[in-house]
Every structure is written in C-alpha cells, then in structure tokens.
Amino acid sequence: MKKKVFIPVILLILLEIVIVILFYQDSGISIRTEYHKWSIFGISFHANTMLMEWLVSFIMLIPGLIIGFKVKNVLKKLSQNQEVELSDYIPTRLQSVTELLVEFFDDLTKSTLKSRGRKYFPLIITLFVFIWISNMMGIFPSFWQIVKTPDGKPFLEWLEFAEPTRDLNVPVGLMLIVIFVVHGSMIKEFGIRGYLKSYADPIFLLFPLNVIGEIAKGISLAFRLFGNILGGAIIIIVVSSLVRYIVLPPLLNAFFGVFVGTIQAFVFSMLALTYTAVALADVIETDEEENKPLNEEDL
Amino acid sequence: MDAITGADLVRAAALLGAGIAMGFGAIGPGIGEGMAASKACEGVSRNPEQAGLITRTMLVGQAVSESTGIYSLVIALILIFLFGGK
C-alpha cells in the first residue's frame, strides 16, 4: 500500500489527541439531548441528523456512480465494436473493494434466501452500507463545536459530526423499512388470509403472544443499534475527558467507533435478512424441493 | 444546608435506579455472550475450515443476546437524562 493513504489517517489521529488534551476540560462533557429543529409543514426535523444523513447518502453514491459509469462506458464501447483498451478491464482499488463487499453480501443473501436472494440483496447491502458509513461519521471531530461564541454557546451549535444513528429516529426509521418489507413480502407470498393465519400458528390462543413477538422484534432491532452507538459515544466522551493524558482517544474511537460500528451495521443487516428468511421459510423450502433456479433477472 | 425536597429524592432515586439497572442488566448478556464465544471457540477448533461461518453466526447470536443489556442501557440513559438533571 502506498504511503499517501496513511497521511490523512495519521493527521486525523494527531488532531483528535490535540483536541482532547486541549479542549476536553471537566466541564466539557456534553452529549446532545436536545436537537435544533427544522419545522416543515408542521413536522419537525432534527437539523443535524438530517444533514448527516444527506452526507452519508452522498458518500454512498460516489463509488456506485464512479464504477457504474466505468462499466457503462466499457459496455457501450463493446456494443459499438470499438476497441477496448486493457486499462478499461483492470479494476481500480475502489472497484475491487466494492466488488468484494457486493460479492460477500450476494453470497450471504443467496445462502440464506436461496432462489429469492437476489430480490432482497439490494435492500440488505444498502442497509449495511448506510448504517456502516453512519457509524463511521463519529470518528471525525467537529471543530466548530469547540470554538465558542461570546455568550458561551458553540459556534454553529446545530451542526455536529455525530452519527445519525445516535438519534433514535434513524434506527426506528430503518426498523420500519425492514418490518414493512418483511410483512409486505409475507402478504405478497401467502395472501392476506395466509398472513393472518401465520399469527395463529400452533393454536389460535397464541395470537396475542405472536403479535407481541413481532413488535418486540422491531423494537429490539432499533434499540440495539441506537443503544450501542449512543453508549459508545458517551463512553468515548466520558473516558477521554477523565483520563485524557493516559488513554489516547484514537484507541477508544477504534473500538467503540470502528469495531462496534461495523459489527452493529453487520448485525442489523443480518437480522433483517434473518427475519425475511424466517417469514418466507415455507416458500424457500418449496423452492428448494422444486430445484428452482436462481432468478438472475432480479438484479 | 437546604432541606431535602421531593425533587432531590426523585433525582437520587433516578440515578441509583440507573446504576442498578445497568449493573443487573449487564449480568445476563455477559454470561450469554461468554457462552456463545466459548462454544464458537470449540467449534472453530474442531472445524477450522468453517471459521468464517461460525464467527458470523456467533456475532449475530451475541448481538441478539446483548439486546437485554441494551434495554437496560437505554433505561439507564432515560433515567439519567430525564430525571437525573439538576
């Protein structure tokens, strides 16, 4: 690997050390509990969370656009019988990493959902990438939070480089997407009668238990992500302000930001996949018995 | 020294409750995750070529068993931020 990759990483680490040692005084512990709100059509939005989500979506778009245009270009040349250079075929570093990720999730969905894997693959990988980049947002320090205005408030108070998943609304929104997809595909596969019948699974008496089970699934999915990310952020701030001369904050960020963030993103998408697989278990089994081939057109 | 008012009692109870919730809530997930990790270790040592699949399954299982701990964390945070303030 070339050295120029390491320079920004080292700079970031040094910056975090300097910021924590200089600015995290005992009074400097602050975790946002109130959000600056934008009110649009009577609905209030959390400004910081919205901006961070847009940033994450924008970062997600970049590799897709770059690689998509490259592949499209080669296909266009091929269809017009133009000469394709060797350099067009050689994948760049970004493309290799993206292909690795896509292949991993493709294998995962195919091994779990068998012939229907391709249908749910885009949802699962989008969930993973979105949550993962969201969780990574916390490792960038936001300088404008440290500079104070004369009345003691942070400069640009409403803009902070915080993980959007730290706001409960984002995990709940993602959870609603997953629940909608799982129940929607159940209704689509089994019909409304079959869907309602699945609640009275062994006997009719267990109906309320099954409903509570479904609700608990969603709540645990959302709160797991929220609790892990918020808890990690609090631990980073508290520990790095308490022992700021001994434990270097990059180590805390590496564990609670990068490691836990990656694991939680993976767990969220894996659980979404598992819930879908459990909901569609009967259909997948019958597909297996009929040896239904993988539907490649779904991609 | 001012007299202890009802609000002070509520605050003390909230902070104490947060500590108790977190402490007791961490017991179950700790034991559960440890058991999952030990079984995964056994599995990997018996069957090293399946290490990737076992690790993946272990992580998901641990995350599921962790959720009770996360619930207690959320409850502790609610207690601290809603009732524990001055």
Side-chain angles (χ1 to χ4, degrees):
Chain A
M1 193 185 267
K2 283 174 190 168
K3 271 180 190 163
K4 67 179 179 187
V5 183
F6 287 115
I7 294 172
V9 174
I10 290 168
L11 276 180
L12 193 70
I13 290 172
L14 284 178
L15 208 70
E16 263 174 17
I17 295 172
V18 169
I19 284 177
V20 166
I21 288 179
L22 288 185
F23 295 104
Y24 275 31
Q25 302 300 326
D26 292 333
S27 59
I29 304 171
S30 74
I31 269 283
R32 179 195 293 273
T33 49
E34 281 178 7
Y35 287 83
H36 184 274
K37 291 190 180 81
W38 287 339
S39 192
I40 304 168
F41 302 124
I43 308 166
S44 64
F45 294 91
H46 290 178
N48 187 54
T49 312
M50 291 293 287
L51 281 171
M52 280 294 125
E53 274 187 310
W54 286 335
L55 184 66
V56 169
S57 314
F58 185 72
I59 295 173
M60 274 172 77
L61 269 181
I62 295 171
L65 282 178
I66 293 173
I67 297 159
F69 275 124
K70 194 188 166 191
V71 172
K72 216 173 177 182
N73 208 13
V74 174
L75 287 179
K76 199 175 157 192
K77 274 186 184 173
L78 281 174
S79 67
Q80 290 172 351
N81 288 328
Q82 283 177 6
E83 203 172 309
V84 182
E85 291 165 26
L86 189 63
S87 66
D88 287 339
Y89 283 119
I90 298 171
T92 57
R93 201 179 296 159
L94 180 72
Q95 190 182 346
S96 307
V97 172
T98 316
E99 277 177 6
L100 212 69
L101 192 73
V102 169
E103 263 183 33
F104 177 74
F105 272 91
D106 195 30
D107 285 346
L108 210 64
T109 46
K110 268 195 281 189
S111 65
T112 318
L113 291 171
K114 314 290 178 199
S115 63
R116 282 156 206 266
R118 278 285 162 85
K119 206 169 166 186
Y120 295 96
F121 161 70
L123 172 76
I124 303 299
I125 192 168
T126 311
L127 277 176
F128 174 77
V129 175
F130 181 80
I131 297 170
W132 186 57
I133 298 178
S134 296
N135 294 348
M136 292 301 112
M137 280 290 136
I139 64 174
F140 298 110
S142 39
F143 318 105
W144 45 86
Q145 287 290 109
I146 292 156
V147 183
K148 299 269 161 91
T149 51
D151 55 341
K153 283 186 173 174
F155 185 66
L156 277 184
E157 194 181 8
W158 46 277
L159 186 60
E160 185 191 357
F161 257 86
E163 304 92 335
T165 35
R166 200 196 283 180
D167 187 351
L168 181 59
N169 295 303
V170 177
V172 168
L174 294 170
M175 174 269 277
L176 287 179
I177 294 173
V178 172
I179 295 294
F180 180 78
V181 167
V182 169
H183 288 238
S185 51
M186 264 177 100
I187 292 175
K188 201 180 153 200
E189 296 291 345
F190 305 118
I192 291 203
R193 264 184 75 89
Y195 170 70
L196 289 177
K197 223 180 228 170
S198 75
Y199 280 102
D201 195 7
I203 46 167
F204 184 73
L205 278 176
L206 291 181
F207 182 79
L209 219 60
N210 281 329
V211 173
I212 292 171
E214 286 299 316
I215 296 168
K217 251 188 206 175
I219 290 176
S220 73
L221 195 63
F223 273 86
R224 180 176 306 118
L225 183 59
F226 164 71
N228 268 294
I229 302 304
L230 182 67
I234 290 174
I235 290 170
I236 289 173
I237 286 185
V238 170
V239 174
S240 50
S241 91
L242 285 180
V243 289
R244 61 184 176 279
Y245 299 114
I246 305 166
V247 180
L248 295 180
L251 298 177
L252 291 168
N253 266 313
F255 183 77
F256 291 105
V258 178
F259 179 72
V260 173
T262 312
I263 295 281
Q264 288 308 315
F266 180 66
V267 161
F268 193 97
S269 48
M270 269 302 289
L271 283 176
L273 187 62
T274 316
Y275 290 161
T276 322
V278 169
L280 299 179
D282 295 344
V283 188
I284 293 165
E285 261 176 36
T286 44
D287 282 357
E288 278 286 275
E289 282 162 14
E290 291 164 10
N291 279 328
K292 212 171 172 182
L294 190 71
N295 195 356
E296 297 280 346
E297 285 172 14
D298 282 340
L299 194 67
Chain B
M1 197 183 132
D2 295 339
I4 296 172
T5 58
D8 289 338
L9 280 179
V10 168
R11 192 172 163 227
L15 291 175
L16 196 65
I20 292 172
M22 204 55 245
F24 277 104
I27 295 174
I31 295 173
E33 286 182 31
M35 282 167 82
S38 79
K39 290 289 173 191
C41 273
E42 280 176 24
V44 171
S45 63
R46 279 205 199 111
N47 206 350
E49 65 266 24
Q50 290 290 317
L53 181 67
I54 291 172
T55 313
R56 216 156 63 205
T57 319
M58 180 195 79
L59 283 177
V60 173
Q62 283 186 334
V64 172
S65 65
E66 197 189 36
S67 50
T68 49
I70 296 299
Y71 294 156
S72 62
L73 173 69
V74 170
I75 285 169
L77 289 179
I78 290 172
L79 283 175
I80 289 172
F81 284 129
L82 254 58
F83 302 107
K86 276 162 205 164

